[in-house]
Amino acid sequence: MSTDSRAAKAARIRELLDTEGEAVATNTRGFNQGRYDSVARLEDYEGLKDEARAIKEDAIERLPELLDELTETIEENGGTVYVAEDAADANEYIADVCADAEADRVVKSKSMTSEEIEVNDHLHSRDVDVVETDLGEWVLQLADEAPSHIVAPAIHKSRQGIAELFEERFDPDEPLETAEELTMFAREKLGERIEGADVGMTGANFLTADTGTMALVTSEGNARKSVTVPDTHVAVAGVEKIVPSVEDLRPFVELIGRSGTGQDITSYVSLFTPPIDSPTVDFDDPDTPITDGEIDREFHLVLIDNGRLAMREDPDLKETLYCIRCSACSNTCANFQSVGGHAFGGETYSGGIATGWEAGIEGLDTAAEFNDLCTGCSRCVEACPVKIDIPWINTVVRNRINEGGNGGRFDFLVNGLSPDAEDDASPTLQKRVFGNFETLAKLGSATAPLSNWMAHSRPVGWLLERTLGVDHRREFPAFRRQTLVKWARDRDGTAPTDPERRVVLYPDVYTNYMLVERGKAAVRALEALGVAVEVPSVPGSGRPPLSQGMIDTARAKAEGVAEALDPYLEDGDDIVVIEPSDLAMFTGDYERLLPAEDYEPLAANSYELIEYVYGLLENGASPETLSVADSSETVAYHSHCQQRTMSLEAHTVAVLTECGYDVTTSDVECCGMAGSFGYKSQYYDLSMDVGENLAGQLREADADHVLASGTSCTDQIGDLLASEPRHPIELLDPAR
Amino acid sequence: MTTRSDTYDRFADKAAAYDVELTRTEVESLPETISDMLETPAVGAPLPWDGCSLPESVTTDPTPAQLNAAVSGVTAASLAVADYGSLVLEATPGGAEPASLFVDEHVAVLREQDIVPDMAAAFKWFGDRFRETRGSAIIATGPSATADMGALVKGAHGPKTVHVVVIP
Ligand code: SF4
């Protein structure tokens, strides 16, 4: 990416932050909190997710068979099934159906798949009037704008903005102000449109092969009207929407509203088995009872392939097809909360999973436009009702983009994953430098303090920004000449004489070369708790290259780590990790990078530092050996995003509380720095906007100590509050 | 084991969260009970149970014009799901779907024995039923709603209020 295109991207993000950011933030954060509250009311949330996941895995596995079964069932029911290869094919078919029905007007209920094929434009070109009846979609149709969210498409528009739009378009007699007035006005206008409709078009959230039933998850009632009134019904759905039986709908019905907007269930879950056994309502014949005469309805199910069957063959993109489009991954994403789907989205889909959809449907070029906005924070993983590893899909696509496979949308099927080709100019220079941060850190440490003076000097700052896109407003962290490994090797023997346990403290790149104090504190605390600590030299975890989509480089790092730690694991030592994002590598990402025999022992024996302290205290070690609170010391603590996904925030809170501190935690999903993300000039404003949410909470807590577990969080909070927070272990350090 | 009345209470509680009120009555007094709570003009679809009838003020077999003018609509609910406060409204050739949809106030008539505890039970019922009839139904929870205009508003395209009359 050139300096100019970085500047253009930054400008676009800034514009969206200014114009749409506030509405998007309020709504998505509301949905996200609603999700936490709603799933907490379920007796067995995890069990339901497992069930949903299993149904999708099975359905996609058996898709060709289910497709045949569904076709047969629907034909038996009196409907027609058309499998469209691509958008053009689908649109042609739908236009023909409309022509046969002599349709002047189609009324539509909300459907992302119909957005994907742009059927409205196609029908307009055939002189068919298409009216969106979902209020949000209708607002966008009037405004000629694209959805900014897959469930709540007009989430970026304020009430006032909608009022102005209606004013301009309709010049209503009475001014419209309240949400109630706006809704009733829209209801009336749309009611008239529906009365005169010839064809009703819907999507389908799910389709059951056994009965030909489609589930539509809605709240307004417009889908019901669109199906009930006209005599012709066209449903447009991706082929991946098929599930085997009616009973399989249950976990999805219980999960989809909760995961998306935080509603236990939406007002209407329509289970239509079309053509439906209900009289049509012919407003052109207002005085004949609707029940007079035979019910004569037509139904066409248009199933869209448009790349999906190829995605099914792609081992990494395949999981995308499990997605039920609930929007949890958008709402829980800190970047999305700030900027919305107009930046964090492609042609049709938005949010974390959009990378998978857009890569499979449109191609890598489209995915490349916004793929970087996923920082891999992993907060979406636990939110996803079908347990898709969304960050991994983003990483894989990033890797493919790096490889320059920007041509056809299925290049990757032929090419497979080749090495990261770091010698040629494939991943951008910016990505390669951040991806090889370990090299930089080594050099910086070896040449400190000169390297620090350099990095902070204006000309170097300018050069970094011009060449690498490192934002000049960010300060590089200071490198330390004496690394943690050196300090540990040279220090006087203070090890417990008869240790109960032996651990390897993993010297991650940040602790080893920069945040050395937290490493020293960790050694002292562990030893005080009766543990023998070793700090051998071990390579970086591979997190930075993985974040940049450099999978092969990350794999090489993983192999190095496994090799270095193997003898300790053989001896029965535990591995203690300070940096949460590195622990997430060891216990999660390495599964994809290493053979099982290397991954499993490492994953099973690695612990987050405070989680380990928690275990020691549980097993009888005394907190008095640590530095405990004086009377009423207060702490404001921001856990790390990946740490929370690993369910390890509570351990830190518990240990601090046990040591007498009064702890307040932040509830923001991510600090916004996310490794190198916040250093990149094109994303600086977004990163700061996300961070401001956190900073506000920390300021409000007004505590004696601000603590954070991750390096990125430390950097970010340091920039926002103008004073660096410490790692919890530094507060507990017996030498404090 | 949940007794019938626990299930009823749970349903009533959950429905109340969506401002859906329940009225209990006997089969004999059903027409009168409905009549008292109705706003007219009213439309409806015949109730499928022996001995259960609608008051005369309810127009069954409505014309489109009558549907449009109706304030209330009375239809049967085939099932209720206690955990969610939901009603299951089946589409019928007699026009239950439009009668429950084109009105401001929906009055649903429910037999107490048709309240099931949870979604698992409801979907077992749907599976058996749909495989046999290839029918359609709505799981309706509270009135229609939207938040698209900047705040939650009831009665987006469908009814603004829902009332349930429960018979034994
Ligand atoms: S990926 Fe998961 S969380 Fe995201 S929209 Fe799809 S189902 Fe929902």
Side-chain angles (χ1 to χ4, degrees):
Chain A
M1 192 182 269
S2 69
T3 313
D4 286 350
S5 59
R6 277 197 293 263
K9 183 157 232 165
R12 167 88 181 128
I13 288 175
R14 208 170 307 125
E15 185 197 326
L16 288 171
L17 287 172
D18 290 345
T19 53
E20 302 181 352
E22 198 182 314
V24 171
T26 311
N27 289 316
T28 47
R29 286 176 193 155
F31 291 159
N32 194 40
Q33 188 54 48
R35 171 178 60 83
Y36 282 116
D37 297 343
S38 179
V39 301
R41 288 191 286 270
L42 279 169
E43 231 165 78
D44 186 15
Y45 174 47
E46 291 304 320
L48 268 183
K49 289 201 286 186
D50 287 338
E51 222 179 297
R53 167 86 188 190
I55 291 167
K56 276 289 181 184
E57 275 181 11
D58 168 61
I60 296 302
E61 194 57 44
R62 296 199 284 130
L63 184 55
E65 176 197 322
L66 292 176
L67 197 52
D68 286 345
E69 189 189 338
L70 177 68
T71 305
E72 218 170 276
T73 314
I74 287 188
E75 283 169 0
E76 223 173 77
N77 294 349
T80 311
V81 176
Y82 185 75
V83 181
E85 211 171 291
D86 54 22
D89 188 10
N91 287 332
E92 260 324 288
Y93 181 83
I94 296 166
D96 287 347
V97 170
C98 291
D100 286 348
E102 295 177 14
D104 296 321
R105 180 184 299 143
V106 174
V107 282
K108 263 183 76 192
S109 73
K110 185 183 167 334
S111 146
M112 289 308 288
T113 313
S114 73
E115 301 263 355
E116 174 188 323
I117 62 172
E118 298 178 347
V119 67
N120 294 15
D121 292 347
H122 188 79
L123 291 179
H124 282 145
S125 76
R126 299 290 187 89
D127 296 321
V128 179
D129 181 26
V130 185
V131 180
E132 296 286 353
T133 61
D134 173 86
L135 298 188
E137 286 287 352
W138 187 56
V139 164
L140 295 187
Q141 191 177 29
L142 292 174
D144 195 20
E145 287 177 23
S148 57
H149 186 274
I150 59 174
V151 168
I155 199 176
H156 60 286
K157 294 200 90 71
S158 64
R159 182 179 50 78
Q160 200 190 345
I162 297 170
E164 281 162 18
L165 177 72
F166 284 4
E167 195 70 37
E168 185 192 309
R169 289 297 144 96
F170 300 104
D171 194 16
D173 302 336
E174 297 282 315
L176 303 168
E177 274 174 25
T178 64
E180 171 94 28
E181 285 165 358
L182 291 165
T183 303
M184 291 309 140
F185 178 81
R187 173 186 169 130
E188 196 190 305
K189 286 274 175 237
L190 287 170
E192 291 162 11
R193 306 286 199 279
I194 294 170
E195 285 180 14
D198 306 295
V199 173
M201 194 189 298
T202 67
N205 293 86
F206 306 94
L207 292 154
T208 64
D210 61 343
T211 60
T213 303
M214 52 187 274
L216 280 175
V217 179
T218 68
S219 273
E220 296 181 355
N222 59 311
R224 293 175 67 187
K225 281 187 172 167
S226 303
V227 170
T228 306
V229 173
D231 62 6
T232 305
H233 175 192
V234 178
V236 179
V239 287
E240 82 284 4
K241 299 287 181 71
I242 310 173
V243 296
S245 73
V246 174
E247 285 84 345
D248 292 327
L249 296 173
R250 180 221 158 192
F252 301 106
V253 166
E254 296 208 61
L255 287 168
I256 194 166
R258 297 178 194 270
S259 303
T261 49
Q263 293 163 279
D264 292 358
I265 189 165
T266 60
S267 304
Y268 302 128
V269 177
S270 300
L271 303 172
F272 290 128
T273 310
I276 65 166
D277 206 8
S278 179
T280 56
V281 189
D282 184 359
F283 287 94
D284 289 339
D285 184 6
D287 300 317
T288 305
I290 56 171
T291 46
D292 273 14
E294 291 279 293
I295 295 171
D296 184 15
R297 288 178 177 273
E298 250 189 63
F299 172 61
H300 299 266
L301 174 63
V302 184
L303 289 171
I304 316 277
D305 172 0
N306 213 23
R308 289 167 173 79
L309 295 177
M311 287 164 78
R312 186 173 163 270
E313 305 291 329
D314 180 303
D316 291 309
L317 286 192
K318 181 177 174 182
E319 261 197 298
T320 309
L321 299 174
Y322 305 162
C323 168
I324 62 169
R325 317 250 178 95
C326 72
S327 81
C329 56
S330 299
N331 304 329
T332 194
C333 170
N335 278 349
F336 191 97
Q337 289 175 357
S338 273
V339 82
H342 285 158
F344 198 157
E347 295 283 329
T348 313
Y349 300 99
S350 53
I353 195 62
T355 284
W357 283 119
E358 297 283 341
I361 287 166
E362 302 287 341
L364 288 178
D365 277 350
T366 311
E369 291 290 315
F370 62 92
N371 166 264
D372 278 354
L373 289 175
C374 170
T375 61
C377 82
S378 81
R379 295 301 300 139
C380 53
V381 176
E382 67 177 42
C384 175
V386 281
K387 306 179 98 167
I388 299 175
D389 191 345
I390 300 159
W392 176 254
I393 291 174
N394 277 282
T395 303
V396 168
V397 170
R398 195 166 301 157
N399 183 79
R400 290 174 185 174
I401 294 166
N402 288 344
E403 283 167 18
N406 290 5
R409 61 180 178 182
F410 301 125
D411 278 2
F412 53 82
L413 288 181
V414 209
N415 296 340
L417 294 177
S418 60
D420 292 322
E422 288 161 78
D423 296 334
D424 67 33
S426 279
T428 62
L429 185 60
Q430 188 187 51
K431 284 202 161 81
R432 278 184 290 146
V433 169
F434 283 122
N436 287 316
F437 184 73
E438 187 177 358
T439 313
L440 199 71
K442 269 189 196 148
L443 188 72
S445 164
T447 57
L450 181 68
S451 54
N452 297 326
W453 297 335
M454 287 269 295
H456 295 158
S457 77
R458 281 163 151 275
V460 172
W462 181 82
L463 197 70
L464 284 173
E465 178 147 338
R466 294 289 302 173
T467 55
L468 300 178
V470 175
D471 199 279
H472 65 273
R473 287 160 289 189
R474 290 286 186 197
E475 270 196 15
F476 252 120
F479 297 112
R480 300 280 296 272
R481 180 59 80 85
Q482 191 193 40
T483 65
L484 179 68
V485 171
K486 252 191 263 169
W487 173 83
R489 196 183 51 214
D490 299 345
R491 89 204 138 112
D492 297 332
T494 51
T497 41
D498 183 22
E500 292 211 1
R501 289 164 182 276
R502 283 183 323 188
V503 309
V504 168
L505 181 69
Y506 173 63
D508 66 88
V509 172
Y510 310 102
T511 310
N512 195 37
Y513 298 109
M514 295 178 298
L515 303 175
V516 183
E517 290 314 315
R518 69 182 195 185
K520 294 180 190 172
V523 172
R524 287 189 289 258
L526 288 168
E527 288 182 346
L529 292 165
V531 176
V533 185
E534 234 182 291
V535 191
S537 182
V538 184
S541 71
R543 168 66 65 195
L546 194 74
S547 299
Q548 307 302 323
M550 294 153 64
I551 296 177
D552 288 341
T553 310
R555 181 172 288 116
K557 294 277 180 201
E559 285 161 359
V561 169
E563 198 185 313
L565 293 179
D566 178 62
Y568 298 98
L569 289 165
E570 288 276 325
D571 280 358
D573 290 4
D574 295 324
I575 313 296
V576 172
V577 183
I578 301 175
E579 182 61 34
S581 63
D582 286 342
L583 182 69
M585 289 292 282
F586 292 2
T587 59
D589 303 87
Y590 276 15
E591 190 175 6
R592 302 196 187 258
L593 302 175
L594 291 175
E597 70 266 23
D598 292 338
Y599 162 70
E600 280 162 10
L602 179 57
N605 296 294
S606 296
Y607 303 87
E608 191 269 333
L609 171 61
I610 308 292
E611 175 196 17
Y612 201 77
V613 170
Y614 175 86
L616 294 169
L617 296 179
E618 283 291 288
N619 282 310
S622 164
E624 291 302 323
T625 52
L626 301 173
S627 166
V628 295
D630 295 342
S631 64
S632 58
E633 268 175 281
T634 55
V635 162
Y637 172 56
H638 172 64
S639 173
H640 180 274
C641 45
Q642 284 156 339
Q643 183 182 356
R644 290 180 65 194
T645 302
M646 293 182 287
S647 303
L648 293 175
E649 176 181 15
H651 299 78
T652 300
V653 176
V655 168
L656 289 168
T657 308
E658 192 171 346
C659 291
Y661 299 95
D662 184 0
V663 187
T664 310
T665 56
S666 80
D667 67 4
V668 303
E669 298 289 3
C670 179
C671 69
M673 180 63 104
S676 59
F677 181 80
Y679 281 95
K680 295 179 178 175
S681 59
Q682 65 270 42
Y683 302 124
Y684 174 81
D685 291 310
L686 173 54
S687 166
M688 291 302 273
D689 191 75
V690 172
E692 202 35 66
N693 189 26
L694 170 59
Q697 292 193 7
L698 295 175
R699 277 187 213 109
E700 198 171 313
D702 191 25
D704 300 328
H705 309 278
V706 179
L707 304 180
S709 294
T711 305
S712 296
C713 324
T714 306
D715 290 349
Q716 175 78 321
I717 296 167
D719 280 4
L720 286 156
L721 300 185
S723 82
E724 264 295 270
R726 287 184 290 175
H727 188 280
I729 202 69
E730 291 175 79
L731 192 66
L732 302 172
D733 183 356
R736 178 170 83 94
Chain B
M1 186 119 184
T2 2
T3 67
R4 174 70 63 212
S5 80
D6 282 352
T7 312
Y8 177 91
D9 288 346
R10 181 153 174 77
F11 172 63
D13 261 13
K14 289 284 170 175
Y18 299 96
D19 292 330
V20 174
E21 272 179 51
L22 272 57
T23 306
R24 282 178 110 135
T25 189
E26 296 304 316
V27 170
E28 300 74 48
S29 43
L30 182 61
E32 204 190 326
T33 310
I34 294 173
S35 190
D36 286 349
M37 66 175 57
L38 270 192
E39 289 211 39
T40 51
V43 293
L47 302 177
W49 310 294
D50 284 346
C52 293
S53 54
L54 295 172
E56 285 197 355
S57 54
V58 173
T59 308
T60 50
D61 301 316
T63 65
Q66 286 168 326
L67 257 185
N68 239 353
V71 178
S72 309
V74 189
T75 68
S78 305
L79 220 63
V81 189
D83 271 358
Y84 284 82
S86 308
L87 294 166
V88 172
L89 311 173
E90 280 186 283
T92 65
E97 173 68 354
S100 65
L101 182 61
F102 279 84
V103 291
D104 284 344
E105 180 190 31
H106 177 218
V107 176
V109 184
L110 172 74
R111 295 190 303 180
E112 185 166 348
Q113 67 191 83
D114 292 329
I115 306 174
V116 298
D118 52 26
M119 278 299 170
F123 274 90
K124 165 110 189 33
W125 186 90
F126 284 128
D128 294 344
R129 182 101 172 155
F130 288 175
R131 276 186 292 272
E132 191 194 317
T133 63
R134 300 294 162 95
S136 300
I138 313 291
I139 306 173
T141 312
S144 86
T146 186
D148 284 350
M149 300 292 158
L152 186 71
V153 177
K154 287 176 186 163
H157 284 271
K160 296 175 186 168
T161 58
V162 177
H163 209 116
V164 186
V165 180
V166 186
I167 53 173

